Amino acid sequence: MDGLQSKEKNPLSGIAPPYALLAELTHSCPLHCLYCSNPINLVKKEKELSTSHWLNIIEQASDLGIMQMHFSGGEPLIRTDLEQLINKTRDLNIYSNLITSGIGLTQNRLSNLITSGINHIQLSIQSHEAVSTKVITNSECFQAKQSIASLIKESQLPFTINIVLHALNLDNIEEIIEMCISWGAHRIELANTQYYGFALANQSVLLPNKLQIEKAFAIYQRKKQEYGNKIEIIWVIPDYFEEYPKPCMGGWGLIQLTITPAGQVLPCPAASIISSISFENVREKSLDWIWYESSSFNIFRGDMWMKEPCKSCIYRFDDYGGCRCQAFAITGSASNTDPVCKYSPYRPLIDNAISTTNSRENILANIKYRNLD
Amino acid sequence: MQTTKSNSKPNINKLAKLKYDETRNLNFILLPEKIVKLNGTANAILSLCDGTKTISEIIELLEKKFSVDAIEKDVMDFISDAKNHGWITI
Ligand code: SF4
Ligand code: SF4
């Protein structure tokens, strides 16, 4: 999250309270997006937390200092208790954001969400037309998304349209931006794919080449200029094409936490892949204890855990050595430097992945769709 | 550059929400992907931006509340910054 420094520290522990909570209510989803960042081992329905678990979590979160809650999934609309949970955030004056594919959002459901006090909706789309949307999601959902966007627009609820960008849609970024504007979005998020979960499994299909990125970025800049402050357009950088890593989630255990459908508490949505760490569960421990005391949250706080080249690097408090999940996924150790960094000895692995994008053929044959059953 | 008129009525952006946080004992403005800490002055001004009061009225209320005067320019500057940040609409 931008604009925040963790200055207001707890005087006892020296650790600042968290600001935001990402609640993954379910991993069930009517779509099967190629780039989905859910872990490959999806949580089955019968393992999900109950309504009373979540209501209790929201209370604990508020006491802990959480001011913003993102309801996500999977598809959070599948949970019929969503309105009840949003009601609770309203009672505690927590800002609520629904991150949804839109599928399942009827007029009735939308009115109920509004009555419950939802503050903002983030609607995802995959492309500017039906055929490529079908390839990316493995379902016919483009028309439905269009009608859902118009429902939200008519309701006057503020909404962001988010699109994950990759090789299959970057070339159409101009049409995509125009479409988001015509659909009435208040904000547009152009988020380049982050390679975790299914996105990593589908990397050979999704990773764009450098020229595609450069062209798309130039169009984004031109559009941003053209629309000025009429609409906020955000570009989330493609980290593989940078020289330095992104500061993952503003730092491990610094700004926000994620709770999975089964109740695991993570410092970052992708962290469940780090099999060398055992993460706590809200069924067993309080959120307060997990944030301040657990070794899974303390392990990468500060700089004591760092190795070279990060240990002596002047940027170590700016990017915290990059993303721990990416370090684990690509180098095999979560305490290594993020392999995106130009000082990482593993950077050639990233360059290699990028260079293969110029020579691939028949990419669609390599697609792996997610499936919960 | 647009100029802000003193008879216009600023309102908190629909995307945003003001919050006093007890854990930190501080005021914030919450936006879809952003949380911004407010100092006392900023919070006092934004709390009055409810779409019913003109900027002149807001200035008057602030002058009374804090027993100060000649704050017009500061308030106008803040309101125009707040508008550029997307915190308020006018
Ligand atoms: S990315 Fe696609 S498949 Fe994954 S949860 Fe979101 S809508 Fe469902
Ligand atoms: S060496 Fe580590 S701290 Fe330095 S820029 Fe690279 S990732 Fe960041």
Side-chain angles (χ1 to χ4, degrees):
Chain A
M1 203 162 308
D2 334 345
L4 280 185
Q5 275 137 36
S6 301
K7 286 279 160 56
E8 301 80 35
K9 299 205 165 154
N10 178 323
L12 294 176
S13 61
I15 298 164
Y19 288 92
L21 170 61
L22 177 74
E24 287 181 356
L25 298 181
T26 177
H27 277 164
S28 298
C29 186
L31 307 186
H32 312 274
C33 303
L34 284 180
Y35 59 77
C36 184
S37 61
N38 282 167
I40 303 283
N41 293 321
L42 296 168
V43 173
K44 294 250 163 43
K45 195 130 193 102
E46 53 278 16
K47 297 254 173 70
E48 287 179 6
L49 295 172
S50 67
T51 308
S52 56
H53 278 132
W54 279 113
L55 291 171
N56 178 270
I57 289 169
I58 297 171
E59 264 175 34
Q60 291 191 50
S62 168
D63 291 344
L64 192 55
I66 299 277
M67 292 189 264
Q68 199 163 46
M69 265 191 81
H70 305 282
F71 292 95
S72 166
E75 176 48 67
L77 288 166
I78 288 179
R79 293 277 304 221
T80 50
D81 54 2
L82 180 62
E83 286 83 346
Q84 217 182 324
L85 305 182
I86 287 171
N87 225 325
K88 185 80 180 175
T89 57
R90 195 225 351 236
D91 290 350
L92 297 170
N93 200 21
I94 293 173
Y95 188 102
S96 59
N97 178 25
L98 175 65
I99 301 177
T100 177
S101 69
I103 306 304
L105 191 60
T106 57
Q107 177 68 66
N108 194 17
R109 203 79 205 272
L110 183 60
S111 315
N112 292 342
L113 287 168
I114 293 172
T115 321
S116 309
I118 186 84
N119 290 111
H120 177 261
I121 290 185
Q122 178 182 313
L123 174 69
S124 64
I125 59 158
Q126 285 71 26
S127 104
H128 65 295
E129 50 80 50
V131 178
S132 48
T133 298
K134 163 120 202 250
V135 172
I136 298 168
T137 62
N138 200 22
S139 61
E140 302 277 0
C141 61
F142 183 80
Q143 296 305 335
K145 282 177 184 264
Q146 180 161 19
S147 342
I148 285 153
S150 94
L151 278 184
I152 305 176
K153 182 181 174 187
E154 274 161 35
S155 79
Q156 305 214 343
L157 192 72
F159 76 114
T160 293
I161 295 184
N162 169 286
I163 177 161
V164 173
L165 298 174
H166 42 73
L168 307 180
N169 60 16
L170 271 162
D171 297 339
N172 298 109
I173 193 159
E174 178 142 20
E175 292 94 323
I176 290 167
I177 294 173
E178 289 303 330
M179 188 185 84
C180 294
I181 291 170
S182 75
W183 284 14
H186 297 83
R187 285 173 80 244
I188 303 173
E189 260 179 35
L190 307 166
N192 281 282
T193 304
Q194 318 257 346
Y195 294 97
Y196 306 111
F198 291 91
L200 189 57
N202 283 310
Q203 192 179 67
S204 67
V205 182
L206 296 171
L207 193 64
N209 62 47
K210 193 153 195 213
L211 191 63
Q212 269 186 303
I213 294 274
E214 283 168 359
K215 280 192 182 154
F217 184 67
I219 295 171
Y220 150 76
Q221 283 184 308
R222 174 158 57 73
K223 288 282 157 191
K224 203 172 157 65
Q225 188 115 43
E226 185 182 325
Y227 287 103
N229 56 13
K230 282 201 209 87
I231 181 160
E232 193 184 356
I233 310 180
I234 290 147
W235 170 267
V236 179
I237 59 159
D239 65 340
Y240 274 40
F241 296 86
E242 304 285 323
E243 294 190 328
Y244 297 104
K246 56 189 187 305
C248 194
M249 308 304 284
W252 187 274
L254 271 184
I255 308 272
Q256 66 171 302
L257 43 86
T258 294
I259 302 184
T260 70
Q264 233 187 6
V265 187
L266 308 173
C268 152
S272 67
I273 60 157
I274 308 182
S275 52
S276 53
I277 299 177
S278 89
F279 292 101
E280 311 291 338
N281 196 297
V282 278
R283 295 180 205 251
E284 282 133 32
K285 292 275 173 27
S286 74
L287 220 47
D288 190 278
W289 185 88
I290 296 171
W291 180 260
Y292 290 109
E293 310 288 337
S294 73
S295 62
S296 55
F297 272 76
N298 281 315
I299 183 167
F300 297 127
R301 282 187 171 130
D303 64 342
M304 295 300 287
W305 57 272
M306 287 182 185
K307 306 187 214 165
E308 293 298 352
C310 297
K311 202 182 175 72
S312 56
C313 178
I314 50 164
Y315 298 121
R316 69 188 185 282
F317 294 114
D318 297 322
D319 66 21
Y320 314 101
C323 170
R324 299 302 88 229
C325 310
Q326 185 145 279
F328 183 85
I330 293 178
T331 77
S333 164
S335 56
N336 278 339
T337 298
D338 186 325
V340 158
C341 180
K342 66 174 182 181
Y343 302 123
S344 162
Y346 293 93
R347 174 72 209 192
L349 292 178
I350 303 286
D351 291 330
N352 235 346
I354 294 176
S355 67
T356 58
T357 58
N358 297 319
S359 58
R360 70 186 157 202
E361 288 160 27
N362 192 17
I363 51 174
L364 297 185
N366 297 322
I367 290 181
K368 300 181 193 73
Y369 290 113
R370 50 168 279 172
N371 209 332
L372 188 53
D373 314 309
Chain B
M1 186 140 158
Q2 289 165 281
T3 48
T4 312
K5 295 204 184 64
S6 56
N7 64 354
S8 47
K9 298 176 177 171
N11 201 352
I12 295 294
N13 191 332
K14 278 197 299 179
L15 287 160
K17 181 171 173 137
L18 293 177
K19 176 172 169 106
Y20 167 70
D21 175 52
E22 287 174 25
T23 310
R24 300 171 182 80
N25 192 14
L26 289 168
N27 289 292
F28 293 86
I29 184 162
L30 313 177
L31 295 134
E33 291 289 335
K34 221 184 271 180
I35 297 178
V36 185
K37 199 192 315 164
L38 299 173
N39 63 27
T41 322
N43 186 56
I45 301 173
L46 290 175
S47 305
L48 293 170
C49 296
D50 59 5
T52 71
K53 304 174 185 70
T54 64
I55 297 180
S56 319
E57 286 163 348
I58 291 175
I59 293 171
E60 223 172 281
L61 284 165
L62 289 166
E63 288 179 339
K64 269 201 203 114
K65 185 167 174 200
F66 297 103
S67 325
V68 286
D69 51 20
I71 59 170
E72 185 169 342
K73 185 177 177 307
D74 290 344
V75 176
M76 293 295 268
D77 286 351
F78 175 83
I79 286 186
S80 114
D81 281 352
K83 186 180 159 213
N84 290 334
H85 288 309
W87 300 348
I88 55 174
T89 49
I90 299 181

